[in-house]
Amino acid sequence: MIEMQDVWKEYPNGAKALNGINVHITKGEFVYVVGPSGAGKSTFIKLMYREERPTKGHIFVNGFNIERLKDRKVPLLRRSIGVVFQDFKLLPQLTAYENVAFALEVIGIPKRHIKRRVMDALDWVGLADKAEMLPSQMSGGEQQRIAIARALVNNPAVIIADEPTGNLDPDTSWEIMKLFQRINDRGTTIVMATHNKEIVNTMRKRVIAIEAGQIVRDEEKGLYGYDD
Amino acid sequence: MTIRMLGRHLREGCKNLLRNGWMTFASISAVAITLLILGATLVIALNAQQLSNYVAGQLQVNAYLKQNVSSAQAQQITAEVKALPGVSSVRYVPKQQGFKDLQQRLGKDYQDVLQGFSNKNPLPDKIVVQAADPKQTLSIAQKIRALPGVDRVDDGKQVVDKLFRFLDLVRNIGVVFVVGLVVMAMFLISNTIKITIFSRRREIEIMKLVGATNWFIRWPFLTEGIIIGVVGAVLPFAIIAYAYHSVYARLGGTFLAVAFPLIPTAQLAQKLALVMFGLGIVIGVWGGIMSVRKFLKI
């Protein structure tokens, strides 16, 4: 499903973000990526949907060979991945419904199919009744659920989340985590970078710890392992 | 690309333009002014070309025969000229005919002067030669010059050279002017589109993340550029076509007193439309591509 073999990443400014990463994530896994800020978590995540390219090494995601993937084909890779961010990345001028529909519209799905799929996705995150609201009229947790609905609407095999609870209070964070658990339960792989110690230590999953661009720990049902 | 997609891209393009009203206005104005000047230059250039073709077509070689050449010999020379390659028509004008022509041209006022010459015609026999291809006029003149019995050959070279040099100058100045303006218009358009892109960075980012193709993202900005280009071409085209039409009608289809025919309005308008709308679209598309390029690198 996701495979990295001796992956290195050095940015043009000379910063060495990753130094020899080897990792294998199988279908249906739920993985936390933890580590101090600037250790390379974000780069690790960005490599998976090819926002960044590795300087060296091999990466395979959902059957795509990232290093051989032509620019033209990148959209196909991205359609097989759902991404969720700390800042939600919703379009403020669009309603909840339109934000989710946007993801289908721009990949050329006909209008007649869009409505049902969007309503299904909104239903799934429990916000079907708020479809006509603008993001500014919703709470942070609701906005993140809309973003999750958008990531889900295309039925991706993998969901990649970069600190999805970073902007949310603890109660809301737990609701979002339950949602991710449900997504995982139906077989979708989840890779989540997080700083949330309480969540990692309570909802036990595989933990990959990255420090100074290297994997220093990779254990099933691991602990957060840092003091912050 | 389906019709449905085309509709979406057009809609998005129009929305962007309306959202940035003033920048749109500035870009359209820049294109319009550029094309106005381009169009005016083009009208002059096309007519200048028409003029040079016309003059070249009128170009003829006058070969004057020596005074001692007899009428039979003159016929002989005429036949020889006719046999030269590239000659399309030859007209032999005997000195008596030349005198009559001169009388007619000068009119009544000078009859007295000519009367004095009536017994002793000072004019030589003349052969008027027209080349099939105006460019060959000079070489034909050269060959005629070499024939025995030919005194002097007038090929009109000096006049034509001067005219051509002047027309070249007009054209070159026009080209420099237009190139400068085109660059400026492109710059303005690409700036306008950059602003719309800047205000839509987030949208583009999300489009990329959910897997929209680059072309899908590009199209609205291209249609935006094309709309600016086309709208910017309409007004100057109308102005120039109308102005030319009025001038043409007033002058009765000829330029000043010189009996030189202007290009008919419809024919000119066709060329003008092709160039102006074509260039408007090119400027617009280029502006769109340039401005969107940087933002697609994810």
Side-chain angles (χ1 to χ4, degrees):
Chain A
M1 175 105 312
I2 297 173
E3 170 105 40
M4 293 197 187
Q5 297 167 358
D6 192 31
V7 169
W8 297 68
K9 174 66 185 178
E10 184 177 341
Y11 285 102
N13 66 11
K16 293 190 169 85
L18 296 177
N19 308 309
I21 295 281
N22 287 290
V23 79
H24 182 87
I25 297 169
T26 48
K27 186 168 161 44
E29 271 195 277
F30 194 136
V31 181
Y32 294 124
V33 181
V34 301
S37 301
K41 291 196 304 291
S42 281
T43 304
F44 178 73
I45 292 236
K46 282 178 181 166
L47 287 173
M48 292 182 196
Y49 56 95
R50 230 205 72 169
E51 170 131 6
E52 296 293 346
R53 289 161 176 247
T55 318
K56 204 182 107 185
H58 308 292
I59 304 177
F60 301 89
V61 177
N62 295 340
F64 291 92
N65 181 344
I66 300 281
E67 56 178 327
R68 294 247 181 87
L69 192 64
K70 293 204 174 72
D71 284 348
R72 216 156 30 80
K73 301 283 187 189
V74 170
L76 295 180
L77 166 73
R78 302 229 173 120
R79 288 173 199 187
S80 73
I81 298 171
V83 280
V84 177
F85 297 94
Q86 180 172 5
D87 59 353
F88 321 136
K89 292 200 196 293
L90 295 176
L91 294 170
Q93 73 276 23
L94 301 186
T95 64
Y97 175 90
E98 288 166 336
N99 263 293
V100 178
F102 186 75
L104 294 177
E105 253 169 52
V106 300
I107 60 173
I109 307 283
K111 265 227 155 53
R112 59 182 184 280
H113 298 317
I114 288 180
K115 186 165 182 159
R116 188 182 48 77
R117 287 174 65 174
V118 172
M119 288 316 290
D120 283 353
L122 287 176
D123 213 21
W124 223 84
V125 300
L127 286 177
D129 56 329
K130 303 214 165 165
E132 299 310 318
M133 282 194 175
L134 291 172
S136 56
Q137 300 166 317
M138 299 180 166
S139 70
E142 287 169 334
Q143 289 185 51
Q144 189 59 298
R145 281 198 271 169
I146 297 297
I148 293 171
R150 183 180 64 195
L152 278 178
V153 73
N154 209 19
N155 285 319
V158 182
I159 295 266
I160 292 170
D162 196 354
E163 308 211 17
T165 59
N167 275 353
L168 305 174
D169 61 63
D171 287 349
T172 314
S173 294
W174 273 113
E175 277 171 36
I176 294 295
M177 287 311 295
K178 276 184 218 153
L179 190 52
F180 275 113
Q181 182 61 62
R182 276 173 58 214
I183 295 166
N184 183 235
D185 287 343
R186 64 177 205 183
T188 306
T189 311
I190 291 179
V191 180
M192 182 185 296
T194 186
H195 273 138
N196 196 320
K197 181 181 182 181
E198 190 200 337
I199 284 174
V200 174
N201 288 344
T202 310
M203 195 190 265
R204 293 290 199 87
K205 303 288 179 190
R206 178 178 171 188
V207 173
I208 294 174
I210 296 181
E211 282 176 36
Q214 286 179 315
I215 294 183
V216 294
R217 184 157 57 92
D218 184 351
E219 51 191 6
E220 288 299 331
K221 305 215 178 292
L223 287 167
Y224 185 70
Y226 298 97
D227 284 334
D228 63 349
Chain B
M1 189 170 55
T2 61
I3 298 292
R4 180 170 53 85
M5 287 293 181
L6 192 70
R8 180 190 185 275
H9 296 319
L10 266 174
R11 228 174 21 250
E12 290 295 313
C14 290
K15 247 196 260 169
N16 289 348
L17 288 171
L18 293 177
R19 215 175 281 163
N20 304 291
W22 281 106
M23 275 310 284
T24 305
F25 179 74
S27 307
I28 290 179
S29 308
V31 175
I33 291 167
T34 305
L35 292 180
L36 188 69
I37 293 171
L38 172 91
T41 312
L42 202 66
V43 166
I44 295 169
L46 285 174
N47 271 301
Q49 188 167 22
Q50 162 99 341
L51 171 65
S52 72
N53 284 344
Y54 175 78
V55 169
Q58 296 285 300
L59 216 56
Q60 53 187 27
V61 179
N62 287 322
Y64 300 97
L65 303 182
K66 288 177 182 153
Q67 285 288 3
N68 58 7
V69 169
S70 73
S71 154
Q73 279 171 313
Q75 297 287 354
Q76 167 75 28
I77 295 170
T78 307
E80 275 177 54
V81 170
K82 205 171 243 165
L84 288 172
V87 171
S88 77
S89 80
V90 177
R91 193 160 53 89
Y92 170 56
V93 184
K95 56 181 110 181
Q96 297 81 0
Q97 180 66 42
F99 193 72
K100 269 188 216 153
D101 289 349
L102 187 64
Q103 263 182 334
Q104 218 158 33
R105 221 177 329 151
L106 291 180
K108 282 234 158 39
D109 297 346
Y110 294 92
Q111 288 308 315
D112 299 348
V113 184
L114 288 176
Q115 216 62 50
F117 289 108
S118 58
N119 297 325
K120 206 171 145 281
N121 183 351
L123 295 178
D125 289 329
K126 184 168 77 168
I127 301 175
V128 180
V129 183
Q130 186 114 40
D133 175 3
K135 283 187 199 122
Q136 289 191 320
T137 305
L138 291 182
S139 70
I140 288 174
Q142 208 55 45
K143 281 179 197 144
I144 296 173
R145 223 166 254 137
L147 294 176
V150 173
D151 183 23
R152 200 160 55 77
V153 176
D154 179 9
D155 53 20
K157 182 174 181 292
Q158 278 179 326
V159 181
V160 173
D161 274 357
K162 242 183 226 163
L163 179 66
F164 282 176
R165 228 175 298 146
F166 174 70
L167 292 179
D168 278 352
L169 186 72
V170 168
R171 200 196 48 210
N172 291 344
I173 291 173
V175 166
V176 170
F177 219 58
V178 166
V179 167
L181 282 163
V182 165
V183 170
M184 192 185 83
M186 283 180 170
F187 177 74
L188 273 166
I189 290 187
S190 95
N191 253 345
T192 304
I193 296 179
K194 253 183 217 152
I195 287 175
T196 71
I197 289 179
F198 198 74
S199 64
R200 297 185 51 184
R201 257 178 332 179
R202 178 141 233 182
E203 216 168 306
I204 293 175
E205 185 192 0
I206 294 168
M207 284 198 223
K208 296 215 59 121
L209 287 175
V210 300
T213 62
N214 279 348
W215 272 108
F216 188 93
I217 298 169
R218 233 176 250 141
W219 266 112
F221 299 109
L222 286 189
T223 52
E224 189 179 337
I226 292 171
I227 292 168
I228 290 177
V230 170
V231 174
V234 170
L235 196 65
F237 174 73
I239 290 174
I240 291 178
Y242 179 74
Y244 188 77
H245 176 72
S246 330
V247 170
Y248 187 85
R250 189 158 305 161
L251 295 180
T254 54
F255 180 60
L256 300 178
V258 198
F260 150 63
L262 290 166
I263 303 171
T265 308
Q267 197 185 330
L268 186 96
Q270 224 173 8
K271 279 187 188 157
L272 213 56
L274 202 72
V275 172
M276 289 175 78
F277 284 96
L279 198 67
I281 290 172
V282 167
I283 293 175
V285 167
W286 185 87
I289 288 178
M290 287 317 279
S291 46
V292 87
R293 217 175 44 162
K294 185 171 110 204
F295 290 88
L296 285 180
K297 281 190 198 140
I298 293 190

